[in-house]
Coordinates of all heavy atoms in Angstrom, one line a residue:
I1 N 67.3 -27.2 -92.5 CA 66.4 -28.4 -92.9 C 65.2 -28.4 -92.1 O 65.1 -28.2 -90.9 CB 67.2 -29.7 -92.8 CG1 68.4 -29.7 -93.8 CG2 66.2 -30.8 -93.1 CD1 69.2 -31.0 -93.7
L2 N 64.0 -28.6 -92.8 CA 62.7 -28.5 -92.2 C 62.7 -29.5 -91.1 O 62.1 -29.3 -90.0 CB 61.7 -28.8 -93.2 CG 60.3 -28.9 -92.8 CD1 59.8 -27.6 -92.1 CD2 59.3 -29.3 -93.9
I3 N 63.1 -30.7 -91.3 CA 63.0 -31.8 -90.3 C 63.7 -31.4 -89.0 O 63.2 -31.7 -87.8 CB 63.6 -33.2 -90.8 CG1 62.6 -33.7 -91.9 CG2 63.7 -34.2 -89.7 CD1 63.1 -34.9 -92.5
E4 N 64.9 -30.7 -89.0 CA 65.6 -30.4 -87.9 C 64.8 -29.2 -87.2 O 64.8 -29.3 -85.9 CB 67.0 -29.8 -88.2 CG 67.9 -30.8 -88.7 CD 68.2 -32.0 -87.8 OE1 68.3 -31.6 -86.5 OE2 68.3 -33.1 -88.2
Q5 N 64.1 -28.4 -87.8 CA 63.4 -27.3 -87.2 C 62.1 -28.0 -86.5 O 61.8 -27.5 -85.4 CB 62.8 -26.4 -88.2 CG 63.9 -25.4 -88.8 CD 63.5 -24.6 -89.9 OE1 62.4 -24.8 -90.5 NE2 64.2 -23.5 -90.1
L6 N 61.5 -28.9 -87.1 CA 60.4 -29.6 -86.6 C 60.8 -30.4 -85.3 O 60.0 -30.5 -84.3 CB 59.7 -30.6 -87.5 CG 59.1 -29.8 -88.8 CD1 58.7 -30.9 -89.8 CD2 57.8 -29.0 -88.2
K7 N 61.9 -31.0 -85.3 CA 62.4 -31.8 -84.2 C 62.7 -30.9 -82.9 O 62.5 -31.3 -81.8 CB 63.7 -32.5 -84.5 CG 63.4 -33.7 -85.5 CD 64.7 -34.3 -86.1 CE 65.5 -35.1 -85.1 NZ 66.7 -35.8 -85.7
K8 N 63.0 -29.7 -83.2 CA 63.3 -28.7 -82.0 C 61.9 -28.3 -81.4 O 61.8 -27.9 -80.3 CB 63.9 -27.4 -82.5 CG 65.4 -27.7 -83.0 CD 66.1 -26.4 -83.5 CE 67.4 -26.8 -84.0 NZ 68.1 -25.5 -84.6
E9 N 60.7 -28.2 -82.3 CA 59.6 -27.7 -81.8 C 58.6 -28.8 -81.3 O 57.8 -28.5 -80.5 CB 58.8 -27.1 -83.0 CG 59.4 -25.7 -83.4 CD 58.5 -25.0 -84.4 OE1 57.3 -24.9 -84.3 OE2 59.1 -24.5 -85.3
F10 N 58.8 -30.1 -81.7 CA 58.0 -31.1 -81.2 C 58.6 -32.4 -80.7 O 59.8 -32.6 -80.9 CB 57.1 -31.8 -82.5 CG 56.3 -30.6 -83.1 CD1 56.6 -29.9 -84.3 CD2 55.1 -30.2 -82.7 CE1 56.0 -28.9 -84.9 CE2 54.2 -29.3 -83.2 CZ 54.8 -28.6 -84.3
D11 N 57.9 -33.1 -79.9 CA 58.6 -34.2 -79.2 C 58.9 -35.3 -80.2 O 59.9 -36.1 -80.0 CB 57.6 -34.8 -78.0 CG 57.4 -33.8 -76.9 OD1 58.5 -32.9 -76.7 OD2 56.5 -33.9 -76.2
M12 N 57.9 -35.5 -81.2 CA 58.1 -36.6 -82.1 C 57.6 -36.1 -83.5 O 56.7 -35.4 -83.6 CB 57.3 -37.7 -81.7 CG 57.4 -39.0 -82.6 SD 56.3 -40.3 -82.1 CE 56.8 -40.6 -80.4
V13 N 58.4 -36.4 -84.5 CA 58.0 -36.0 -85.9 C 58.0 -37.4 -86.7 O 58.9 -38.2 -86.7 CB 59.1 -35.1 -86.5 CG1 58.8 -34.8 -88.0 CG2 59.4 -33.9 -85.7
I14 N 56.9 -37.6 -87.3 CA 56.7 -38.9 -88.1 C 56.5 -38.4 -89.5 O 55.8 -37.6 -89.9 CB 55.4 -39.7 -87.6 CG1 55.7 -40.1 -86.2 CG2 55.2 -40.9 -88.5 CD1 54.4 -40.7 -85.5
V15 N 57.3 -39.0 -90.4 CA 57.2 -38.7 -91.8 C 57.0 -40.0 -92.6 O 57.6 -41.0 -92.4 CB 58.7 -38.2 -92.3 CG1 58.6 -37.9 -93.7 CG2 59.0 -36.9 -91.5
D16 N 55.9 -40.0 -93.4 CA 55.6 -41.1 -94.3 C 56.4 -41.0 -95.6 O 56.5 -39.9 -96.1 CB 54.1 -41.2 -94.4 CG 53.6 -42.4 -95.2 OD1 54.4 -43.5 -95.2 OD2 52.6 -42.4 -95.8
S17 N 56.7 -42.1 -96.1 CA 57.5 -42.1 -97.4 C 57.0 -43.1 -98.4 O 56.4 -44.1 -97.9 CB 59.0 -42.2 -97.3 OG 59.3 -43.5 -97.0
P18 N 57.3 -43.0 -99.6 CA 57.0 -44.1 -100.6 C 57.8 -45.4 -100.3 O 58.7 -45.3 -99.6 CB 57.4 -43.5 -101.9 CG 57.7 -42.1 -101.8 CD 58.0 -41.9 -100.3
P19 N 57.2 -46.5 -100.9 CA 58.0 -47.8 -100.7 C 59.5 -47.7 -101.0 O 59.8 -47.0 -102.0 CB 57.2 -48.7 -101.6 CG 55.9 -48.1 -101.8 CD 56.1 -46.7 -101.7
M20 N 60.3 -48.1 -100.2 CA 61.7 -48.0 -100.2 C 62.4 -48.6 -101.5 O 63.3 -48.1 -102.0 CB 62.4 -48.5 -99.0 CG 63.8 -48.1 -98.9 SD 64.4 -48.6 -97.4 CE 66.0 -49.3 -98.0
L21 N 61.9 -49.8 -101.9 CA 62.5 -50.5 -103.0 C 62.3 -49.8 -104.3 O 63.0 -50.1 -105.3 CB 62.1 -52.0 -103.0 CG 62.6 -52.9 -101.8 CD1 62.0 -54.3 -101.9 CD2 64.1 -52.8 -101.8
R22 N 61.2 -49.0 -104.3 CA 60.9 -48.4 -105.7 C 61.5 -47.0 -105.7 O 61.9 -46.5 -106.9 CB 59.3 -48.3 -105.8 CG 58.8 -49.7 -105.9 CD 57.4 -49.6 -106.2 NE 56.8 -50.9 -106.1 CZ 55.5 -51.1 -105.8 NH1 54.8 -50.2 -105.4 NH2 55.1 -52.4 -105.7
I23 N 61.6 -46.2 -104.7 CA 61.9 -44.8 -104.7 C 62.9 -44.7 -103.6 O 62.7 -45.1 -102.4 CB 60.8 -43.9 -104.6 CG1 59.7 -44.2 -105.7 CG2 61.2 -42.4 -104.6 CD1 58.4 -43.5 -105.6
S24 N 64.0 -43.8 -103.8 CA 65.1 -43.7 -102.9 C 64.7 -42.6 -101.7 O 65.6 -42.5 -100.8 CB 66.3 -43.2 -103.5 OG 66.1 -42.0 -104.2
D25 N 63.6 -42.1 -101.8 CA 63.2 -41.0 -100.7 C 63.3 -41.5 -99.4 O 63.8 -40.9 -98.5 CB 61.8 -40.5 -101.0 CG 61.7 -39.8 -102.3 OD1 62.6 -39.6 -103.0 OD2 60.6 -39.3 -102.5
A26 N 62.9 -42.7 -99.2 CA 62.9 -43.4 -97.9 C 64.3 -43.5 -97.2 O 64.5 -43.3 -96.1 CB 62.2 -44.9 -97.9
R27 N 65.2 -43.8 -98.1 CA 66.6 -43.9 -97.6 C 67.1 -42.5 -97.3 O 67.8 -42.4 -96.2 CB 67.5 -44.5 -98.6 CG 67.3 -45.9 -98.9 CD 68.1 -46.5 -99.9 NE 69.5 -46.9 -99.4 CZ 70.4 -47.4 -100.2 NH1 70.2 -47.8 -101.4 NH2 71.6 -47.7 -99.7
V28 N 66.9 -41.5 -98.1 CA 67.2 -40.2 -97.7 C 66.6 -39.7 -96.4 O 67.3 -39.2 -95.5 CB 66.9 -39.2 -98.8 CG1 67.3 -37.8 -98.4 CG2 67.7 -39.6 -100.1
L29 N 65.3 -39.9 -96.2 CA 64.7 -39.6 -95.0 C 65.2 -40.4 -93.8 O 65.3 -39.8 -92.7 CB 63.1 -39.8 -95.1 CG 62.5 -38.8 -96.1 CD1 61.0 -39.2 -96.3 CD2 62.4 -37.4 -95.4
G30 N 65.5 -41.6 -94.1 CA 66.1 -42.4 -93.0 C 67.3 -41.9 -92.5 O 67.7 -41.9 -91.2
W31 N 68.3 -41.3 -93.3 CA 69.5 -40.7 -92.9 C 69.2 -39.5 -92.0 O 70.1 -39.2 -91.1 CB 70.3 -40.3 -94.1 CG 70.9 -41.5 -94.8 CD1 71.4 -42.6 -94.3 CD2 71.1 -41.6 -96.2 NE1 71.9 -43.5 -95.3 CE2 71.7 -42.8 -96.5 CE3 70.7 -40.8 -97.3 CZ2 72.0 -43.3 -97.8 CZ3 71.1 -41.3 -98.6 CH2 71.6 -42.5 -98.9
L32 N 68.1 -38.8 -92.3 CA 67.8 -37.7 -91.5 C 67.1 -38.0 -90.1 O 67.1 -37.1 -89.3 CB 67.0 -36.7 -92.3 CG 67.6 -36.1 -93.6 CD1 66.6 -35.4 -94.4 CD2 68.8 -35.3 -93.3
A33 N 66.5 -39.2 -90.1 CA 65.8 -39.5 -89.0 C 66.5 -40.2 -87.8 O 67.7 -40.6 -88.0 CB 64.6 -40.4 -89.4
D34 N 65.9 -40.3 -86.6 CA 66.4 -40.9 -85.5 C 66.3 -42.4 -85.7 O 67.0 -43.3 -85.1 CB 65.9 -40.5 -84.2 CG 66.2 -39.0 -83.9 OD1 67.3 -38.6 -84.3 OD2 65.3 -38.3 -83.3
G35 N 65.4 -42.8 -86.4 CA 65.0 -44.2 -86.7 C 63.9 -44.4 -87.7 O 63.2 -43.4 -88.0
V36 N 63.7 -45.6 -88.1 CA 62.8 -46.0 -89.2 C 61.9 -47.1 -88.6 O 62.3 -48.0 -88.0 CB 63.5 -46.3 -90.4 CG1 62.5 -46.8 -91.4 CG2 64.3 -45.2 -91.0
L37 N 60.5 -46.9 -88.9 CA 59.6 -47.9 -88.6 C 59.1 -48.4 -90.0 O 58.7 -47.8 -90.7 CB 58.4 -47.3 -87.9 CG 57.3 -48.3 -87.4 CD1 57.8 -49.2 -86.4 CD2 56.1 -47.4 -86.8
L38 N 59.3 -49.8 -90.1 CA 59.0 -50.5 -91.4 C 57.5 -50.9 -91.3 O 57.1 -51.4 -90.4 CB 59.9 -51.7 -91.6 CG 61.3 -51.4 -91.7 CD1 62.2 -52.7 -91.9 CD2 61.7 -50.5 -92.9
V39 N 56.8 -50.6 -92.4 CA 55.4 -51.1 -92.6 C 55.3 -52.0 -93.7 O 55.7 -51.7 -94.9 CB 54.5 -49.8 -92.8 CG1 53.1 -50.2 -93.0 CG2 54.6 -48.9 -91.7
F40 N 54.8 -53.2 -93.4 CA 54.6 -54.3 -94.5 C 53.2 -54.6 -94.6 O 52.4 -54.6 -93.6 CB 55.5 -55.6 -94.1 CG 57.0 -55.3 -94.0 CD1 57.5 -55.5 -92.8 CD2 57.6 -54.8 -95.0 CE1 58.9 -55.3 -92.7 CE2 59.0 -54.6 -94.9 CZ 59.6 -54.9 -93.7
R41 N 52.7 -55.0 -95.8 CA 51.3 -55.3 -96.0 C 51.2 -56.9 -96.0 O 51.9 -57.6 -96.8 CB 50.8 -54.7 -97.3 CG 49.4 -55.3 -97.6 CD 48.7 -54.5 -98.6 NE 48.2 -53.2 -98.1 CZ 47.9 -52.2 -98.8 NH1 48.2 -52.0 -100.1 NH2 47.4 -51.0 -98.2
A42 N 50.3 -57.4 -95.3 CA 50.2 -58.8 -95.1 C 49.8 -59.3 -96.5 O 48.9 -58.8 -97.3 CB 49.1 -59.1 -94.1
R43 N 50.3 -60.5 -96.9 CA 50.0 -61.2 -98.1 C 50.4 -60.4 -99.4 O 50.1 -60.8 -100.5 CB 48.5 -61.6 -98.3 CG 48.1 -62.6 -97.3 CD 46.7 -62.9 -97.2 NE 45.7 -61.7 -97.1 CZ 45.5 -61.1 -95.9 NH1 45.9 -61.4 -94.9 NH2 44.7 -60.0 -96.0
K44 N 51.1 -59.3 -99.3 CA 51.6 -58.6 -100.4 C 53.2 -58.5 -100.3 O 53.8 -58.7 -101.4 CB 51.0 -57.1 -100.4 CG 49.5 -57.1 -100.6 CD 49.1 -57.5 -102.0 CE 47.6 -57.5 -102.2 NZ 47.1 -57.9 -103.4
T45 N 53.6 -58.0 -99.2 CA 55.1 -57.9 -99.1 C 55.8 -59.2 -98.9 O 55.3 -60.0 -98.0 CB 55.4 -57.1 -97.8 OG1 54.8 -55.8 -97.9 CG2 56.9 -56.8 -97.7
T46 N 56.6 -59.6 -99.8 CA 57.4 -60.9 -99.7 C 58.4 -60.9 -98.6 O 58.9 -59.7 -98.3 CB 57.9 -61.3 -101.1 OG1 59.1 -60.3 -101.3 CG2 57.0 -61.2 -102.2
K47 N 58.7 -62.0 -98.1 CA 59.8 -62.1 -97.2 C 61.0 -61.6 -97.7 O 61.9 -61.0 -97.1 CB 60.0 -63.7 -96.8 CG 61.0 -63.8 -95.7 CD 61.1 -65.3 -95.3 CE 62.2 -65.6 -94.3 NZ 62.3 -67.0 -94.0
D48 N 61.4 -61.9 -98.9 CA 62.6 -61.5 -99.6 C 62.6 -59.9 -99.7 O 63.7 -59.3 -99.4 CB 62.8 -62.1 -101.0 CG 63.1 -63.6 -101.0 OD1 63.7 -64.0 -99.9 OD2 62.9 -64.2 -102.0
A49 N 61.5 -59.3 -100.0 CA 61.5 -57.8 -100.1 C 61.7 -57.2 -98.7 O 62.5 -56.2 -98.6 CB 60.2 -57.3 -100.7
A50 N 61.0 -57.9 -97.6 CA 61.1 -57.2 -96.4 C 62.6 -57.4 -95.9 O 63.2 -56.4 -95.3 CB 60.2 -58.0 -95.4
L51 N 63.2 -58.5 -96.1 CA 64.6 -58.7 -95.7 C 65.6 -57.8 -96.5 O 66.5 -57.2 -95.9 CB 65.1 -60.1 -95.9 CG 64.5 -61.2 -94.9 CD1 64.8 -62.6 -95.4 CD2 64.8 -60.9 -93.5
A52 N 65.3 -57.5 -97.8 CA 66.1 -56.6 -98.7 C 66.1 -55.1 -98.0 O 67.0 -54.5 -98.0 CB 65.7 -56.7 -100.1
V53 N 64.9 -54.8 -97.7 CA 64.7 -53.4 -97.2 C 65.4 -53.3 -95.9 O 66.2 -52.3 -95.6 CB 63.2 -53.0 -97.0 CG1 63.0 -51.9 -96.1 CG2 62.5 -52.8 -98.3
H54 N 65.3 -54.2 -94.9 CA 65.9 -54.2 -93.6 C 67.5 -54.2 -93.8 O 68.2 -53.4 -93.1 CB 65.5 -55.4 -92.8 CG 66.1 -55.4 -91.5 ND1 67.3 -56.1 -91.2 CD2 65.7 -54.9 -90.3 CE1 67.7 -55.9 -90.0 NE2 66.7 -55.1 -89.4
D55 N 68.0 -55.2 -94.7 CA 69.4 -55.1 -94.9 C 69.9 -53.9 -95.5 O 71.0 -53.5 -95.1 CB 69.7 -56.3 -95.9 CG 69.5 -57.6 -95.2 OD1 69.3 -57.8 -94.0 OD2 69.4 -58.7 -96.0
C56 N 69.3 -53.2 -96.4 CA 69.7 -52.0 -97.1 C 69.8 -50.9 -95.9 O 70.8 -50.1 -95.9 CB 68.6 -51.6 -98.0 SG 69.2 -50.2 -99.0
L57 N 68.8 -50.8 -95.0 CA 68.9 -49.8 -94.0 C 70.0 -50.0 -93.1 O 70.6 -49.1 -92.7 CB 67.5 -49.7 -93.2 CG 66.3 -49.3 -94.0 CD1 65.0 -49.6 -93.2 CD2 66.4 -47.8 -94.3
V58 N 70.2 -51.3 -92.7 CA 71.3 -51.6 -91.7 C 72.7 -51.3 -92.3 O 73.5 -50.7 -91.7 CB 71.1 -53.1 -91.3 CG1 72.5 -53.5 -90.6 CG2 69.9 -53.4 -90.4
Q59 N 72.8 -51.6 -93.6 CA 74.0 -51.3 -94.3 C 74.2 -49.8 -94.4 O 75.4 -49.4 -94.4 CB 74.0 -51.9 -95.8 CG 74.1 -53.5 -95.8 CD 74.0 -53.9 -97.2 OE1 73.9 -53.2 -98.2 NE2 73.9 -55.2 -97.3
D60 N 73.1 -49.0 -94.4 CA 73.3 -47.5 -94.5 C 73.5 -47.0 -93.1 O 73.7 -45.7 -93.0 CB 72.1 -46.9 -95.1 CG 72.1 -47.2 -96.6 OD1 73.0 -47.5 -97.2 OD2 70.9 -46.8 -97.2
G61 N 73.5 -47.7 -92.1 CA 73.6 -47.4 -90.7 C 72.3 -46.6 -90.2 O 72.4 -45.9 -89.3
I62 N 71.2 -46.9 -90.7 CA 69.9 -46.4 -90.3 C 69.3 -47.3 -89.3 O 69.2 -48.5 -89.5 CB 69.0 -46.2 -91.5 CG1 69.6 -45.2 -92.6 CG2 67.7 -45.8 -91.1 CD1 69.0 -45.1 -93.8
R63 N 68.9 -46.7 -88.2 CA 68.3 -47.5 -87.0 C 66.9 -47.9 -87.3 O 66.0 -47.1 -87.8 CB 68.3 -46.6 -85.8 CG 67.9 -47.3 -84.6 CD 68.0 -46.4 -83.4 NE 67.5 -47.0 -82.2 CZ 66.8 -46.2 -81.3 NH1 66.9 -44.9 -81.3 NH2 66.2 -46.9 -80.3
V64 N 66.6 -49.2 -87.4 CA 65.3 -49.7 -87.5 C 64.7 -50.0 -86.2 O 65.0 -50.7 -85.4 CB 65.4 -51.1 -88.3 CG1 64.0 -51.6 -88.5 CG2 66.0 -50.9 -89.7
L65 N 63.6 -49.1 -85.9 CA 62.9 -49.2 -84.6 C 62.0 -50.4 -84.4 O 61.7 -50.8 -83.3 CB 62.1 -47.9 -84.4 CG 62.9 -46.5 -84.5 CD1 62.0 -45.5 -84.4 CD2 63.9 -46.6 -83.4
G66 N 61.4 -50.9 -85.6 CA 60.5 -52.0 -85.5 C 59.7 -52.1 -86.8 O 60.0 -51.5 -87.8
T67 N 58.6 -52.9 -86.8 CA 57.9 -53.2 -87.9 C 56.4 -53.2 -87.6 O 56.0 -53.4 -86.4 CB 58.1 -54.5 -88.6 OG1 57.9 -55.5 -87.7 CG2 59.6 -54.6 -89.0
V68 N 55.5 -52.8 -88.6 CA 54.1 -52.9 -88.5 C 53.7 -53.8 -89.6 O 54.0 -53.7 -90.7 CB 53.5 -51.6 -88.6 CG1 52.0 -51.5 -88.8 CG2 53.9 -50.5 -87.6
L69 N 52.6 -54.7 -89.3 CA 52.1 -55.5 -90.4 C 50.6 -55.0 -90.5 O 49.8 -55.2 -89.6 CB 52.0 -56.9 -89.9 CG 51.5 -58.0 -90.9 CD1 52.3 -58.0 -92.2 CD2 51.3 -59.4 -90.3
N70 N 50.3 -54.3 -91.6 CA 49.0 -53.8 -91.8 C 48.2 -54.7 -92.8 O 48.7 -55.6 -93.4 CB 49.0 -52.4 -92.3 CG 49.6 -52.2 -93.7 OD1 49.8 -53.2 -94.5 ND2 49.8 -51.0 -94.0
D71 N 46.9 -54.5 -92.8 CA 45.9 -55.2 -93.6 C 45.9 -56.8 -93.3 O 45.6 -57.5 -94.3 CB 46.4 -55.0 -95.2 CG 45.1 -55.2 -96.0 OD1 44.0 -55.2 -95.6 OD2 45.4 -55.5 -97.2
W72 N 46.2 -57.2 -92.1 CA 46.2 -58.5 -91.7 C 44.9 -58.8 -91.0 O 44.5 -58.1 -90.1 CB 47.4 -58.8 -90.8 CG 47.3 -60.2 -90.3 CD1 47.4 -61.4 -91.1 CD2 47.2 -60.8 -89.0 NE1 47.4 -62.5 -90.3 CE2 47.2 -62.2 -89.0 CE3 47.1 -60.1 -87.8 CZ2 47.1 -62.9 -87.8 CZ3 47.0 -60.8 -86.6 CH2 47.1 -62.3 -86.6
N73 N 44.2 -60.0 -91.5 CA 42.9 -60.4 -90.9 C 43.2 -61.8 -90.4 O 43.2 -62.6 -91.2 CB 41.8 -60.3 -92.0 CG 40.5 -60.7 -91.3 OD1 40.4 -61.2 -90.2 ND2 39.4 -60.3 -92.0
P74 N 43.2 -62.0 -89.1 CA 43.4 -63.3 -88.6 C 42.3 -64.3 -88.9 O 42.6 -65.5 -88.9 CB 43.5 -63.1 -87.1 CG 42.8 -61.9 -86.8 CD 43.0 -61.0 -88.0
R75 N 41.2 -63.8 -89.3 CA 40.1 -64.7 -89.6 C 40.3 -65.3 -91.0 O 39.8 -66.4 -91.4 CB 38.8 -64.0 -89.6 CG 38.4 -63.7 -88.2 CD 37.1 -62.9 -88.1 NE 37.0 -62.4 -86.8 CZ 35.9 -61.6 -86.4 NH1 35.1 -61.2 -87.3 NH2 35.8 -61.3 -85.1
K76 N 41.1 -64.6 -91.9 CA 41.2 -65.0 -93.3 C 42.5 -65.7 -93.5 O 42.8 -66.3 -94.6 CB 41.1 -63.8 -94.2 CG 39.7 -63.3 -94.4 CD 39.6 -62.1 -95.3 CE 38.2 -61.6 -95.4 NZ 38.1 -60.5 -96.3
D77 N 43.5 -65.6 -92.6 CA 44.9 -66.0 -92.9 C 45.1 -67.3 -92.3 O 45.3 -67.4 -91.1 CB 45.9 -65.0 -92.3 CG 47.3 -65.2 -93.0 OD1 47.6 -66.3 -93.3 OD2 48.0 -64.2 -93.2
E78 N 45.1 -68.4 -93.0 CA 45.3 -69.7 -92.5 C 46.6 -70.0 -91.8 O 46.5 -70.8 -90.9 CB 45.2 -70.8 -93.7 CG 43.9 -70.7 -94.5 CD 42.7 -71.4 -93.7 OE1 42.9 -72.4 -92.9 OE2 41.6 -71.0 -93.9
R79 N 47.6 -69.3 -92.2 CA 48.9 -69.6 -91.5 C 48.9 -69.2 -90.1 O 49.7 -69.7 -89.4 CB 50.0 -68.8 -92.3 CG 50.2 -69.3 -93.7 CD 51.3 -68.5 -94.3 NE 50.9 -67.1 -94.5 CZ 51.5 -66.2 -95.1 NH1 52.7 -66.4 -95.3 NH2 51.0 -64.9 -95.2
Y80 N 48.1 -68.3 -89.7 CA 48.0 -67.8 -88.3 C 46.7 -68.3 -87.5 O 46.4 -67.9 -86.4 CB 48.1 -66.3 -88.2 CG 49.3 -65.8 -88.8 CD1 49.3 -65.3 -90.1 CD2 50.5 -65.9 -88.1 CE1 50.5 -64.8 -90.7 CE2 51.8 -65.4 -88.7 CZ 51.7 -64.9 -90.0 OH 52.8 -64.5 -90.5
G81 N 46.0 -69.3 -88.2 CA 44.9 -69.8 -87.6 C 44.9 -70.3 -86.2 O 43.9 -70.1 -85.5
V82 N 46.0 -70.9 -85.8 CA 46.1 -71.3 -84.5 C 46.1 -70.3 -83.5 O 45.7 -70.5 -82.3 CB 47.5 -72.1 -84.3 CG1 48.7 -71.2 -84.4 CG2 47.6 -73.0 -83.0
Y83 N 46.4 -69.1 -83.8 CA 46.4 -67.8 -83.0 C 45.0 -67.1 -82.8 O 44.8 -66.2 -82.1 CB 47.5 -66.9 -83.2 CG 48.8 -67.5 -83.1 CD1 49.6 -67.8 -84.2 CD2 49.4 -67.7 -81.9 CE1 50.8 -68.3 -84.2 CE2 50.7 -68.3 -81.8 CZ 51.4 -68.6 -82.9 OH 52.6 -69.2 -82.8
Y84 N 44.1 -67.6 -83.8 CA 42.8 -66.9 -83.9 C 42.1 -66.6 -82.6 O 41.6 -65.5 -82.4 CB 41.9 -67.7 -84.9 CG 40.6 -67.2 -85.0 CD1 40.3 -65.9 -85.6 CD2 39.5 -67.8 -84.6 CE1 39.1 -65.3 -85.8 CE2 38.2 -67.2 -84.6 CZ 38.1 -66.0 -85.2 OH 36.7 -65.4 -85.3
P85 N 41.9 -67.5 -81.6 CA 41.2 -67.2 -80.5 C 41.8 -65.9 -79.7 O 41.1 -65.3 -79.0 CB 41.4 -68.4 -79.7 CG 41.7 -69.6 -80.6 CD 42.5 -68.9 -81.6
Y86 N 43.0 -65.6 -79.9 CA 43.6 -64.5 -79.1 C 43.2 -63.2 -79.8 O 43.5 -62.1 -79.2 CB 45.1 -64.6 -79.1 CG 45.6 -65.8 -78.4 CD1 46.1 -67.0 -79.1 CD2 45.6 -66.0 -77.0 CE1 46.5 -68.1 -78.4 CE2 45.9 -67.0 -76.3 CZ 46.5 -68.1 -77.0 OH 46.9 -69.2 -76.3
F87 N 42.7 -63.3 -81.0 CA 42.4 -62.0 -81.7 C 40.9 -61.7 -81.8 O 40.5 -60.8 -82.5 CB 43.1 -62.0 -83.2 CG 44.5 -62.2 -83.1 CD1 45.2 -63.3 -83.4 CD2 45.2 -61.0 -82.9 CE1 46.5 -63.3 -83.3 CE2 46.6 -61.0 -82.9 CZ 47.3 -62.2 -83.1
R88 N 40.1 -62.4 -81.1 CA 38.6 -62.2 -81.2 C 38.3 -60.8 -80.6 O 38.9 -60.5 -79.7 CB 37.9 -63.3 -80.5 CG 38.0 -64.6 -81.2 CD 37.0 -65.6 -80.4 NE 37.3 -66.9 -80.9 CZ 36.4 -67.6 -81.6 NH1 35.2 -67.1 -81.8 NH2 36.7 -68.7 -82.2
V89 N 37.4 -60.2 -81.3 CA 37.0 -58.7 -80.8 C 35.5 -58.9 -80.4 O 34.7 -59.4 -81.0 CB 37.1 -57.7 -82.0 CG1 36.6 -56.5 -81.6 CG2 38.5 -57.7 -82.5
A90 N 35.2 -58.4 -79.2 CA 33.9 -58.4 -78.6 C 33.0 -57.5 -79.4 O 33.3 -56.6 -80.0 CB 33.9 -58.0 -77.3

């Protein structure tokens, strides 16, 4: 398997996959990986979808390493406005 060969040659191998709820590739790759990093899009990924993905991985025995929230702008998102001062960029 290509992934096994790459793991022997490199310290870390990162593989991107299509969204898990639409295509099963992510689950298959998750079984081959040491862990999975979930990526969610702000204001697009619903809480129910995020929980469904996480639950599916856990049920399959796939280790979830963490999550990334992309496309989030603290200046535009009212729900996190109280934290805005911590995200100012010089």
